[in-house]
Amino acid sequence: LMGRHCGHITLNAAIAANYVDICLLPEMDIDLQKVLDHTEQLMRTKGHAVIVIAEGCGDTIVSASGETDAGGNKQLADVGTYLKDEITAHFKTLKLPLTIKFIDPTYMIRSVAANSFDSVFCSVLAQNAVHGAMAGFSGITIGRLNSRYVYLPIHAITKQKGKNVDVKGKSFLNLVSSTKQPDFTPVGAERPQSARGSSGVDVLDFLSVPASINNVLRVGDEVKRLDVVRLATMFPSAMVPNPLGVNGFVGASAWTTQTLQQFNRRQGQGHQYFQMVTAGPREYLHFRPEDSTAVIVNCGGLCPGLNAVIRELVMMLAAYGVKTIYGCKGGYKGLVSPEKWVVLTPKSVEQIHTLGGSVLVSDRGNPPHSEIAKSLRSMGVKQYFVLGGDGTHKGGMQTFDAMQELEEGPYECAVVGVPKTIDNDICMLDKTFGFNTAVTEAEKAIDAAYVEACARDNCISVVKLMGRHCGHITLNAAIAANYVDICLLPEMDIDLQKVLDHTEQLMRTKGHAVIVIAEGCGDTIVSASGETDAGGNKQLADVGTYLKDEITAHFKTLKLPLTIKFIDPTYMIRSVAANSFDSVFCSVLAQNAVHGAMAGFSGITIGRLNSRYVYLPIHAITKQKGKNVDVKGKSFLNLVSSTKQPDFTPVGAERPQSARGSSGVDVLDFLSVPASINNVLRVGDEVKRLDVVRLATMFPSAMVPNPLGVNGFVGASAWTTQTLQQFNRRQGQGHQYFQMVTAGPREYLHFRPEDSTAVIVNCGGLCPGLNAVIRELVMMLAAYGVKTIYGCKGGYKGLVSPEKWVVLTPKSVEQIHTLGGSVLVSDRGNPPHSEIAKSLRSMGVKQYFVLGGDGTHKGGMQTFDAMQDIDYECSVIGIPKTIDNDISLLDTSFGFDTASTEAAKAIESAYVESTTNANCIGLVKLMGRHCGFIATHATLAARVVDVCLIPEMAVSQDKLLDYIAEVMRKKKHAVIVVAEGCGDTILSSDAGQTDAGGNKVLADVGPYLKDAITGHFKKLGMPLSIKYIDPTYMIRSVPANAYDNLYCATLAQQAVHGAMAGYSGISVGKVDERYVMLPVHAVTKEGTRCVDVKGRTYERLIATTKQPSFAP
């Protein structure tokens, strides 16, 4: 084919044809012998082959004569006939039969009339050329760039090099994916492309394209800095080196920018983003640790995780070298009572994280802040930690101000808040500690209510949950439980009669119902008395009993039989110990609070925003309105999708705005200062787009309106940019960020729901939450109007067996989320993807959902490619599944939180065994073939582990055994956790043995380590008992917990939104707390994520276990 200097024609024609076996371009570096060998292999296996070559290879594969034609162009050797002769000679040497059919259409492809696309394109180009000329533009050329027609100076195209095929670009990747040809680069030459893992090529970089600053920040957007108080600007700084053995400190000028998003908005409607000080340890300290005294106080209501925060504050202060650490009992009032000050030590707080409540007895109210300031001064306090909500933080700032106004002069003390509220209503922050645990406990109450409702005739269960001003707990627990019929929140405007009428309808049709109501409705559905409690909060009417009485009266009037079971778990959900997720979260918050205090930051609170830990000025949370449930937002849409409840708004009413917070003044705007673009992106930084396949570019789109009642669809060109951070780096060392397509419902659908058929398949190992994903896929497809939904049993192999296809309906999947495992029996391995593609076509499948890990996603893409070979239109959507949490880019994978929680239970059992048997070691082996995330997080959550071994660590067995003996001499008990992947590091596995999924079979490191420890102690003559626990499959076979249940539901909903909008070859996930659609290759070719043994999480692990390095 034509193409003297570039292979664009050849490449695009080969991809379009989709049955080319070898495609050779001028841009490729080609070893002819490799081409001949691959041709031979094709003929031996297939019996036929199609080879396409660009004429420009007449100056690469073979040398041109050097002569020129009449136009001054170099005359090229005729590479077509040359290649034909070389192949013929090669096969003759091998004595293999061969016929070659040579086609040279060269001039034919350019002498024909334009097709319809080019005909229209030519018309528009010509019209715009005339427009430009008549307007007086000159020296221009007309072209189309980014789907917009533009005038360019002629020099812009004549003085640049021509555009060649980028052999490291996406188009060439698509070519290789189509032809399946190997790399023809000569040995020793630089490869034109390589897969991640075998060489150093960055696949994400390979898959993405750069985004301009206009694609990152739109017109009207603004970035502002929320700076914090630095005591070094007010008092002399000690500037002592940080004593922690940290791999990489956070820079003194390190900032984190909120995740940037492109919304649906009118031109000029900008969005305000904020930069915040990045949390973490600094290289130099403001305070000398040996001269420091710290105090911790908590106020207000209880919250799961309070003791975990207190424990970790003490542990980290001690790690810095702070000798005197107090805890103050009784809240702020205790600060002015010396008898309430108790000394806290690492030993005294070692086990408090296992307890609910707070060892520092909480209370409300406070004495004058000037008295608190004097008391802190008299005790020599330099680091003052306040744990509480809005009122506690306000009090902390008032004390900070009072310290600057003391008669003796300003007092130097870091005031650091750790925000505490189970309501999760603090603006800007992703979530607050304790919220996850509270939702989990609330879900248990709803589970009990459902059992009660179903176990009696004509029964309604009513559950009242905490949430004074907002309904976050109630909403999340209702979605997680997945069988609530009515959910009422304080943010809703509610016509009680509509609620009663819908309750009646439910009872007439179902015979039972579950109703969940937030306590804050005691100030909306019914009027509160106006009285206040000790903390100054309005006393609410008891809306639970009120609603129960109203329903009872309504049914009595209708003469309908009814039993009501009322459950009010209110204080139960906050008085428990933190679960695994919150336990780790509390640790990180506390550690960063100490880092900030020792560095001399003050008047700050620590929080997580877009998955990054930051320091915020306290005013940023105390002077803003609380974060309410947006009844026009996605979360509320998910709730309605789950409950199927109608709109309860009174006729003609508008939802009232929340009055919570201060006036309409924009506090953040007032507290912040503008940041220049150079403070957002540094020299060398780059933002690149990870685009995805849109079927509308390949097939006609139905463009039908979305039938979902959504308030605000996601724009067709909506993008989410990763959180921008400023790191410690030398000038010019840039960082690469990615923009990803924002997930969510689109205004117009590519497919007509009524003409659609969907199928769901899961492959590989089990994972908590599989059934929750399957359930929500079915529910959301049904909500769109898809009539035929299949589930395929037996993984990919089941797709080619019609008897494995089962019909799924909302009714059949209603309760499956309560089960572990998968109702679609999983399996490994797969038939040819061409057969799967044909099977999907024969069943008329338009939406194909694959649930699995790396291999499953690769298989999904191979089937997608196979469907293109047969020109079949089908959306292929992946939902990444792995309890290992090792998928790059994603915050977490579903099931990981549940698995870590179950793993922590095994560790706690090992601790009980080790401490209640003489000279005992509790040894736990946990899952984690290639990475140690489960072992690490479970260890951090349990906090009782002495040694944790993960595959990422280098381990000398002698050092390990000696340290275990040392621990047993000192403590007489120990807990050891080892990840299964150490079966390929501590000892060697059989390199050639693999399982059905192609995974290497690992040596069983648990019994091996048990035997090695036993033998070592026998040599030492030391008494020993080992209790070995291997919960391996138990941690993955359970149902999802509340957090994972909710996460699974959202992932599934986003997957369906993407499929119906015509996206394909994508995987859905959460990146920096935002749901996005990623190209599958970004998941499969990026390589798995491992625990960074130089990172913060690993440092926390070592700080928890106190273990030394075991490196040889």
Side-chain angles (χ1 to χ4, degrees):
L1 294 175
M2 296 188 86
R4 295 181 60 85
H5 308 294
C6 64
H8 292 292
I9 291 174
T10 306
L11 177 143
N12 283 274
I15 293 174
N18 243 332
Y19 33 59
V20 173
D21 298 290
I22 297 175
C23 181
L24 305 174
L25 314 178
E27 293 87 348
M28 296 166 62
D29 195 0
I30 299 169
D31 182 334
L32 182 60
Q33 187 59 48
K34 287 188 174 183
V35 175
L36 296 176
D37 291 343
H38 184 58
T39 304
E40 174 195 340
Q41 181 187 349
L42 287 168
M43 293 305 291
R44 290 183 185 276
T45 54
K46 293 176 62 179
H48 65 269
V50 176
I51 301 174
V52 179
I53 187 168
E55 62 174 333
C57 292
D59 197 27
T60 57
I61 292 180
V62 58
S63 299
S65 64
E67 298 178 6
T68 57
D69 62 18
N73 298 309
K74 180 191 285 189
Q75 286 192 339
L76 304 177
D78 189 345
V79 75
T81 54
Y82 172 81
L83 184 60
K84 173 179 175 287
D85 293 342
E86 289 294 315
I87 295 172
T88 301
H90 182 69
F91 275 65
K92 191 172 184 180
T93 302
L94 297 170
K95 296 182 180 180
L96 291 173
L98 180 70
T99 301
I100 291 186
K101 303 297 184 182
F102 177 55
I103 300 172
D104 183 359
T106 316
Y107 295 106
M108 291 172 58
I109 69 174
R110 72 180 198 181
S111 59
V112 294
N115 64 13
S116 58
F117 176 87
D118 274 331
S119 185
V120 175
F121 188 25
C122 291
S123 295
V124 180
L125 287 173
Q127 291 166 5
N128 280 303
V130 174
H131 297 325
M134 297 308 294
F137 293 106
S138 188
I140 63 169
T141 189
I142 175 69
R144 190 170 69 171
L145 187 145
N146 295 333
S147 300
R148 300 290 186 271
Y149 290 91
V150 295
Y151 299 128
L152 291 167
I154 286 177
H155 289 314
I157 64 169
T158 61
K159 294 199 173 183
Q160 287 195 88
K161 291 182 179 180
K163 182 173 67 175
N164 292 330
V165 172
D166 180 5
V167 293
K168 294 185 179 180
K170 291 167 72 174
S171 295
F172 190 80
L173 176 66
N174 292 342
L175 171 71
V176 174
S177 175
S178 175
T179 65
K180 311 296 190 296
Q181 68 192 46
D183 180 17
F184 296 129
T185 306
V187 176
E190 184 182 352
R191 292 190 63 197
Q193 64 175 15
S194 59
R196 185 171 176 113
S198 56
S199 74
V201 176
D202 188 336
V203 175
L204 288 182
D205 186 57
F206 183 78
L207 291 171
S208 59
V209 294
S212 74
I213 192 61
N214 292 328
N215 286 326
V216 179
L217 291 170
R218 292 282 187 88
V219 174
D221 284 346
E222 183 182 30
V223 178
K224 301 193 74 177
R225 281 191 161 178
L226 281 169
D227 210 345
V228 298
V229 174
R230 291 166 167 82
L231 292 177
T233 63
M234 305 161 64
F235 304 93
S237 177
M239 285 297 288
V240 294
N242 193 316
L244 302 181
V246 176
N247 290 295
F249 293 103
V250 176
S253 59
W255 296 84
T256 295
T257 305
Q258 279 183 293
T259 298
L260 308 179
Q261 291 190 285
Q262 294 182 7
F263 300 88
N264 291 346
R265 58 189 190 219
R266 296 184 296 277
Q267 187 69 20
Q269 275 193 316
H271 190 81
Q272 195 174 64
Y273 300 97
F274 292 96
Q275 275 192 327
M276 293 137 292
V277 177
T278 305
R282 267 51 182 178
E283 188 170 4
Y284 295 97
L285 308 184
H286 179 77
F287 295 102
R288 293 184 185 277
E290 62 273 20
D291 298 335
S292 296
T293 295
V295 69
I296 305 163
V297 66
N298 62 247
C299 306
L302 297 182
C303 179
L306 272 171
N307 283 329
V309 172
I310 294 165
R311 179 192 190 274
E312 208 59 40
L313 287 172
V314 173
M315 294 296 188
M316 186 51 67
L317 284 164
Y320 266 100
V322 176
K323 303 299 183 185
T324 307
I325 308 166
Y326 293 106
C328 188
K329 293 189 174 184
Y332 282 148
K333 289 186 285 192
L335 286 168
V336 295
S337 301
E339 71 278 7
K340 296 288 189 180
W341 290 56
V342 294
V343 174
L344 301 177
T345 66
K347 184 68 176 175
S348 70
V349 300
E350 190 176 12
Q351 296 301 318
I352 64 171
H353 63 286
T354 63
L355 307 173
S358 170
V359 293
L360 302 179
V361 181
S362 187
D363 199 356
R364 300 183 186 274
N366 52 266
H369 291 283
S370 58
E371 294 302 311
I372 295 176
K374 290 176 184 176
S375 180
L376 294 172
R377 182 185 183 107
S378 69
M379 296 294 288
V381 170
K382 295 296 184 182
Q383 294 86 29
Y384 174 39
F385 299 96
V386 295
L387 285 54
D390 181 77
T392 303
H393 275 67
K394 285 178 182 174
M397 275 309 292
Q398 289 171 312
T399 300
F400 173 78
D401 293 337
M403 283 191 281
Q404 311 318 307
E405 298 170 1
L406 290 172
E407 293 179 6
E408 301 89 339
Y411 181 62
E412 180 183 22
C413 179
V415 179
V416 180
V418 182
K420 168 199 67 70
T421 167
I422 61 169
D423 287 339
N424 196 37
D425 61 346
I426 295 181
C427 279
M428 301 185 74
L429 302 186
D430 296 344
K431 56 172 60 73
T432 49
F433 79 81
F435 175 67
N436 184 294
T437 306
V439 170
T440 300
E441 296 301 310
E443 185 198 10
K444 293 177 183 177
I446 297 174
D447 291 343
Y450 177 75
V451 171
E452 288 287 342
C454 294
R456 289 184 65 96
D457 281 338
N458 309 304
C459 186
I460 293 174
S461 287
V462 176
V463 181
K464 186 185 83 171
L465 295 175
M466 297 190 87
R468 295 182 61 84
H469 308 291
C470 64
H472 293 293
I473 291 175
T474 305
L475 177 142
N476 283 272
I479 295 175
N482 248 329
Y483 29 58
V484 173
D485 298 291
I486 297 175
C487 182
L488 305 175
L489 312 177
E491 294 87 348
M492 296 166 61
D493 196 358
I494 299 169
D495 183 332
L496 182 58
Q497 188 59 49
K498 285 188 175 184
V499 174
L500 297 175
D501 290 343
H502 184 58
T503 303
E504 175 193 341
Q505 181 186 346
L506 287 168
M507 294 303 289
R508 290 185 186 276
T509 54
K510 291 176 64 179
H512 65 268
V514 176
I515 301 174
V516 180
I517 187 167
E519 64 175 332
C521 293
D523 198 29
T524 58
I525 293 178
V526 57
S527 298
S529 65
E531 297 178 6
T532 58
D533 61 19
N537 298 307
K538 181 191 288 188
Q539 287 191 339
L540 305 177
D542 188 346
V543 72
T545 53
Y546 173 81
L547 183 61
K548 172 179 175 286
D549 294 342
E550 288 294 315
I551 295 171
T552 301
H554 182 69
F555 274 66
K556 190 172 183 180
T557 301
L558 296 171
K559 297 182 179 179
L560 290 174
L562 179 68
T563 300
I564 291 188
K565 303 296 184 182
F566 177 55
I567 299 176
D568 182 357
T570 316
Y571 295 106
M572 291 172 59
I573 70 172
R574 75 177 199 180
S575 60
V576 295
N579 65 10
S580 174
F581 177 92
D582 274 327
S583 188
V584 176
F585 188 24
C586 290
S587 293
V588 181
L589 289 172
Q591 290 165 5
N592 279 304
V594 175
H595 295 323
M598 298 307 295
F601 293 108
S602 191
I604 63 169
T605 191
I606 173 69
R608 192 173 68 172
L609 188 144
N610 300 146
S611 296
R612 301 294 187 272
Y613 289 91
V614 296
Y615 299 129
L616 291 166
I618 283 178
H619 288 313
I621 66 168
T622 60
K623 296 197 173 182
Q624 282 196 94
K625 291 181 179 180
K627 180 173 66 178
N628 292 331
V629 172
D630 180 3
V631 294
K632 293 186 177 180
K634 289 181 183 177
S635 295
F636 191 78
L637 174 67
N638 292 345
L639 173 69
V640 173
S641 173
S642 175
T643 63
K644 308 295 188 301
Q645 68 192 46
D647 181 10
F648 295 129
T649 307
V651 176
E654 293 184 7
R655 177 179 168 265
Q657 296 298 311
S658 171
R660 188 171 179 207
S662 55
S663 63
V665 176
D666 190 335
V667 176
L668 291 184
D669 188 56
F670 179 75
L671 290 172
S672 58
V673 294
S676 73
I677 192 60
N678 293 326
N679 287 327
V680 179
L681 291 171
R682 291 281 187 89
V683 174
D685 283 347
E686 183 182 29
V687 179
K688 301 194 75 176
R689 282 191 160 179
L690 284 169
D691 209 346
V692 296
V693 174
R694 293 164 170 82
L695 292 177
T697 63
M698 305 158 68
F699 303 94
S701 177
M703 286 297 287
V704 294
N706 193 317
L708 301 180
V710 177
N711 290 296
F713 293 102
V714 176
S717 59
W719 297 84
T720 294
T721 305
Q722 282 183 292
T723 302
L724 307 179
Q725 290 191 285
Q726 293 181 11
F727 300 87
N728 288 347
R729 59 188 188 223
R730 295 183 297 274
Q731 188 69 16
Q733 280 191 312
H735 189 78
Q736 193 174 67
Y737 301 96
F738 292 100
Q739 275 193 327
M740 297 142 288
V741 179
T742 305
R746 266 53 181 178
E747 189 170 3
Y748 294 98
L749 308 185
H750 178 78
F751 295 102
R752 294 184 184 279
E754 63 272 18
D755 299 334
S756 294
T757 294
V759 68
I760 305 164
V761 64
N762 61 249
C763 306
L766 297 182
C767 179
L770 274 170
N771 284 330
V773 172
I774 295 165
R775 179 192 190 276
E776 206 58 37
L777 286 171
V778 174
M779 293 298 188
M780 185 51 69
L781 285 163
Y784 267 99
V786 176
K787 303 298 183 186
T788 306
I789 307 168
Y790 292 106
C792 188
K793 293 189 174 183
Y796 281 147
K797 290 186 284 192
L799 287 167
V800 295
S801 302
E803 70 277 8
K804 297 289 187 179
W805 290 56
V806 295
V807 174
L808 301 177
T809 66
K811 184 67 176 175
S812 69
V813 301
E814 189 176 11
Q815 298 303 318
I816 65 172
H817 65 287
T818 64
L819 307 173
S822 170
V823 293
L824 302 179
V825 181
S826 188
D827 200 357
R828 300 184 187 274
N830 51 266
H833 292 280
S834 58
E835 295 302 311
I836 295 176
K838 291 174 184 175
S839 179
L840 293 172
R841 182 175 66 178
S842 70
M843 296 295 287
V845 172
K846 294 297 184 182
Q847 295 85 28
Y848 174 39
F849 299 94
V850 296
L851 283 56
D854 182 76
T856 304
H857 275 66
K858 286 177 181 174
M861 277 308 292
Q862 289 171 311
T863 301
F864 172 78
D865 292 337
M867 286 192 281
Q868 306 318 300
D869 290 344
I870 60 176
D871 196 33
Y872 184 61
E873 179 185 22
C874 179
S875 182
V876 179
I877 311 290
I879 301 179
K881 166 200 67 71
T882 166
I883 61 169
D884 287 340
N885 195 38
D886 60 348
I887 298 178
S888 291
L889 278 178
L890 301 186
D891 295 349
T892 54
S893 48
F894 78 80
F896 173 68
D897 186 79
T898 304
S900 295
T901 300
E902 296 301 310
K905 293 178 183 177
I907 295 173
E908 287 160 5
S909 296
Y911 176 75
V912 170
E913 289 288 341
S914 70
T915 53
T916 53
N917 285 282
N919 306 302
C920 185
I921 291 175
L923 174 61
V924 183
K925 185 186 83 171
L926 294 175
M927 297 190 88
R929 294 181 60 83
H930 309 293
C931 63
F933 286 109
I934 290 176
T936 298
H937 280 254
T939 296
L940 289 171
R943 290 186 178 84
V944 293
V945 176
D946 298 288
V947 176
C948 179
L949 305 173
I950 58 177
E952 294 86 347
M953 295 165 60
V955 179
S956 163
Q957 187 168 310
D958 289 340
K959 283 188 175 182
L960 172 63
L961 295 175
D962 289 343
Y963 180 69
I964 294 171
E966 180 186 338
V967 172
M968 290 301 290
R969 287 190 184 102
K970 291 179 180 177
K971 296 175 59 179
K972 305 300 182 184
H973 63 84
V975 176
I976 302 171
V977 174
V978 62
E980 63 174 332
C982 293
D984 201 27
T985 58
I986 293 178
L987 68 159
S988 298
S989 301
D990 184 346
Q993 195 175 356
T994 59
D995 62 18
N999 299 307
K1000 184 179 191 178
V1001 176
L1002 303 178
D1004 193 342
V1005 72
Y1008 171 84
L1009 189 58
K1010 176 176 179 285
D1011 293 342
I1013 296 170
T1014 301
H1016 185 66
F1017 274 63
K1018 192 172 183 180
K1019 287 180 183 178
L1020 295 173
M1022 292 177 63
L1024 179 69
S1025 168
I1026 293 185
K1027 306 299 183 184
Y1028 177 55
I1029 299 175
D1030 182 358
T1032 317
Y1033 296 106
M1034 291 172 61
I1035 71 173
R1036 74 177 199 180
S1037 59
V1038 296
N1041 64 12
Y1043 175 87
D1044 274 328
N1045 236 330
L1046 185 59
Y1047 189 23
C1048 290
T1050 307
L1051 286 173
Q1053 291 165 3
Q1054 303 294 1
V1056 175
H1057 295 324
M1060 298 308 295
Y1063 292 97
S1064 192
I1066 66 167
S1067 186
V1068 294
K1070 189 164 66 169
V1071 177
D1072 293 346
E1073 291 295 319
R1074 299 289 186 270
Y1075 289 92
V1076 297
M1077 296 184 282
L1078 294 165
V1080 165
H1081 289 313
V1083 173
T1084 61
K1085 295 195 175 180
E1086 172 64 359
T1088 55
R1089 175 174 60 193
C1090 293
V1091 174
D1092 181 2
V1093 294
K1094 293 185 177 180
R1096 295 279 183 262
T1097 300
Y1098 187 78
E1099 286 169 1
R1100 293 181 190 116
L1101 174 69
I1102 300 304
T1104 298
T1105 64
K1106 308 292 191 302
Q1107 69 193 51
S1109 170
F1110 299 125

